[in-house]
Amino acid sequence: MDHKVHLGILLGFTLLSLIPEADAQRCPTTCRCPIGVIDCSDRGFTELPNVTRPGTSSQLSRVDFSNNILSVLNIDKLFEFIVGLQVDELDFSSNMIAEVEGTFDAADGKDYETLNLSRNAFTEFPRNIIPVNHARVRFIIDISYNSLTELTTEMFAVGDDMTLPGFQFIATNNMISVIHPQTFQGVDLLDSIVDLRFNNLMSLSEDFAPPRGVETLRISNNPWRCDCNLRWMINFSNRLVNFTEEDPPNCETPVSVRGRPIFQLQANDFACLPFRSGPIRQNFVNMDTFVVRCPVTADPPTFDLRWDVWLPSPNGADPIQLCFNSETVGFKGLQTNPRAAFRCTASNNAGSVSIALEVLYNGQQGLEVPEDPLVPIPTQC
Ligand SMILES: *[C@@H]1O[C@H](CO)[C@@H](O)[C@H](O)[C@H]1NC(C)=O
Ligand SMILES: *[C@@H]1O[C@H](CO)[C@@H](O)[C@H](O)[C@H]1NC(C)=O
Ligand SMILES: *[C@@H]1O[C@H](CO)[C@@H](O)[C@H](O)[C@H]1NC(C)=O
Ligand SMILES: *[C@@H]1O[C@H](CO)[C@@H](O)[C@H](O)[C@H]1NC(C)=O
């Protein structure tokens, strides 16, 4: 054990002595800087340390500020000591960053290949982390484990009409429930991966334009609501099925399709709850007889319909209950049964809705149809 530690220290000194003077200056005090790395992780920094401006340019494989207590990522300050260097990975994971100041721009020597902002405190996507100009062949942003709630068109606003080859956008484990349909417009993503697993996505607007040139779109492990509003997703012309085939998403609701892969459903499996499509219309044949149609519709337009009818018994016995499975219900005998209550229930995969109606026959005043039925229909047939 001791032996290894000594060897490590010895090796460390050996490497340090190989680092040119400019690189040694570049290392903030209290950080460690083996060749090609600035390791400032786990140092309790609440802000970026002050450093001397560097001299010659070279390459850095990693600048590591992970596991500190930073609340702001100040890009200009960061690049005071690494400007012009080819930086592969900027690791700011596990801080408390909620805000980014400054901009990345390859033309100003401020560029990166991987920016790790995982496990921070972002509630909004910081638009200035997308470089104005980008000079690398790969481009990875990890903003997983934050508190993003939506992706907006602002996301790529800085670099509109840009091409981002090898872009990986990792935003898993946020709370994203809304993706603006045009979020990914204005950029060409070549061989890209957009990873939105473990978010709060329930639906996606039909005019959602998939990222141009995206190869893989990971949207599984979201609580997808597979109702009629999501039916468009299975249309092959939008190619969503191809982008997601590596990791197919499943439905969470309605219960009838829970756990089913979205792209294995048929068009009619995407059902929305039946809804009342107008007022109840009683078609009185005469003062003793009338017909009622259940004013309900649904998407898709097929659903089960049932009528429950409740009649007080004329001779004081138990009320009579009847059930019908038809679109309309006719009733004759109001003169002898002055009160009648009706309820129609429409059901499909998404659930059911009920509409109730009560009719009172009031002797000389004729029929009364209260807006809210007074007679509760006791049990279902
Ligand atoms: C860095 O320098 C600025 C002024 O140059 C000073 O206000 C600030 O306190 C310094 N920060 C640290 C951490 O030393
Ligand atoms: C970002 O950092 C986390 C650790 O905090 C790590 O698990 C993850 O793999 C890193 N992401 C990338 C793209 O390297
Ligand atoms: C699929 O999408 C195309 C293009 O938007 C549209 O023309 C077509 O009607 C859609 N097909 C279905 C079954 O919705
Ligand atoms: C989508 O995938 C299917 C089957 O994997 C393939 O036949 C089809 O050509 C693909 N469509 C596009 C537009 O890439």
Side-chain angles (χ1 to χ4, degrees):
M1 190 64 190
D2 268 351
H3 181 66
K4 270 188 195 157
V5 171
H6 285 305
L7 193 64
I9 290 169
L10 195 65
L11 199 63
F13 277 129
T14 316
L15 291 177
L16 269 179
S17 64
L18 293 176
I19 299 177
E21 188 60 20
D23 274 3
Q25 275 182 6
R26 206 169 285 153
C27 194
T29 43
T30 80
C31 299
R32 283 175 302 127
C33 299
I35 284 182
V37 175
I38 295 177
D39 180 358
C40 298
S41 61
D42 273 307
R43 291 296 188 285
F45 285 128
T46 54
E47 57 182 85
L48 289 173
N50 287 340
V51 284
T52 338
R53 224 194 154 301
T56 55
S57 78
S58 64
Q59 239 181 323
L60 279 173
S61 62
R62 186 160 57 92
V63 175
D64 187 350
F65 275 95
S66 63
N67 285 299
N68 283 289
I69 323 167
L70 303 174
S71 55
V72 178
L73 167 54
N74 186 328
I75 299 167
D76 297 334
K77 177 144 188 195
L78 170 68
F79 277 88
E80 271 172 20
F81 63 100
I82 57 171
V83 72
L85 304 193
Q86 187 180 317
V87 185
D88 291 341
E89 185 184 350
L90 292 174
D91 189 350
F92 283 87
S93 62
S94 301
N95 277 278
M96 291 167 62
I97 305 171
E99 200 184 322
V100 177
E101 286 172 3
T103 50
F104 289 105
D105 186 348
D108 293 341
K110 298 185 294 180
D111 206 10
Y112 64 86
E113 195 171 273
T114 301
L115 175 62
N116 198 333
L117 294 173
S118 177
R119 297 182 193 276
N120 275 285
F122 287 102
T123 54
E124 277 174 34
F125 184 80
R127 53 187 284 182
N128 43 358
I129 63 173
I130 306 269
V132 180
N133 292 288
H134 192 251
R136 313 295 292 274
V137 289
R138 289 203 318 160
F139 175 36
I140 302 169
I141 293 179
D142 186 344
I143 194 163
S144 57
Y145 294 96
N146 278 271
S147 303
L148 305 183
T149 55
E150 63 180 321
L151 298 182
T152 71
T153 48
E154 307 282 283
M155 188 168 150
F156 291 105
V158 170
D160 215 7
D161 285 325
M162 68 190 330
T163 300
L164 298 174
F167 180 42
Q168 290 184 36
F169 177 63
I170 306 164
T172 63
N173 297 279
N174 279 271
M175 297 182 293
I176 301 168
S177 60
V178 176
I179 305 177
H180 189 282
Q182 302 299 308
T183 296
F184 293 102
Q185 291 315 286
V187 273
D188 278 320
L189 310 174
L190 304 179
D191 305 319
S192 294
I193 298 172
V194 173
D195 192 345
L196 301 172
R197 289 172 298 162
F198 300 99
N199 275 287
N200 259 341
L201 294 169
M202 288 194 237
S203 204
L204 204 52
S205 153
E206 179 161 4
D207 38 0
F208 172 74
R212 250 185 300 162
V214 74
E215 187 179 276
T216 302
L217 184 58
R218 298 202 172 111
I219 52 171
S220 69
N221 292 284
N222 278 278
W224 290 107
R225 192 191 322 117
C226 297
D227 65 11
C228 61
N229 298 306
L230 210 60
R231 184 183 299 131
W232 67 272
M233 258 175 94
I234 64 167
N235 187 336
F236 282 95
S237 70
N238 62 42
R239 297 176 59 202
L240 278 175
V241 62
N242 289 43
F243 304 143
T244 58
E245 65 189 357
E246 240 180 53
D247 183 42
N250 292 343
C251 305
E252 175 81 14
T253 56
V255 180
S256 56
V257 289
R258 173 166 296 159
R260 304 246 324 255
I262 293 179
F263 293 104
Q264 286 180 20
L265 298 186
Q266 302 298 309
N268 279 352
D269 292 329
F270 293 86
C272 281
L273 197 65
F275 59 95
R276 184 168 171 160
S277 56
I280 296 176
R281 285 214 184 78
Q282 314 87 30
N283 203 352
F284 293 104
V285 178
N286 55 47
M287 277 302 158
D288 195 43
T289 307
F290 67 96
V291 174
V292 190
R293 177 180 297 273
C294 189
V296 159
T297 187
D299 180 5
T302 47
F303 48 86
D304 296 328
L305 195 64
R306 202 196 57 212
W307 283 97
D308 295 297
V309 181
W310 180 89
L311 305 170
S313 177
N315 52 16
D318 287 344
I320 301 165
Q321 280 182 255
L322 300 166
C323 295
F324 305 96
N325 292 307
S326 65
E327 202 181 332
T328 56
V329 67
F331 181 64
K332 180 173 166 33
L334 268 180
Q335 307 274 0
T336 34
N337 287 309
R339 264 186 138 178
F342 301 84
R343 181 178 59 205
C344 64
T345 304
S347 316
N348 66 8
N349 272 353
S352 54
V353 287
S354 290
I355 296 175
L357 165 73
E358 184 187 15
V359 173
L360 302 173
Y361 180 67
N362 198 3
Q364 290 141 1
Q365 280 157 25
L367 286 167
E368 228 180 279
V369 185
E371 185 67 22
D372 298 309
L374 306 170
V375 180
I377 299 179
T379 51
Q380 304 202 338
C381 300

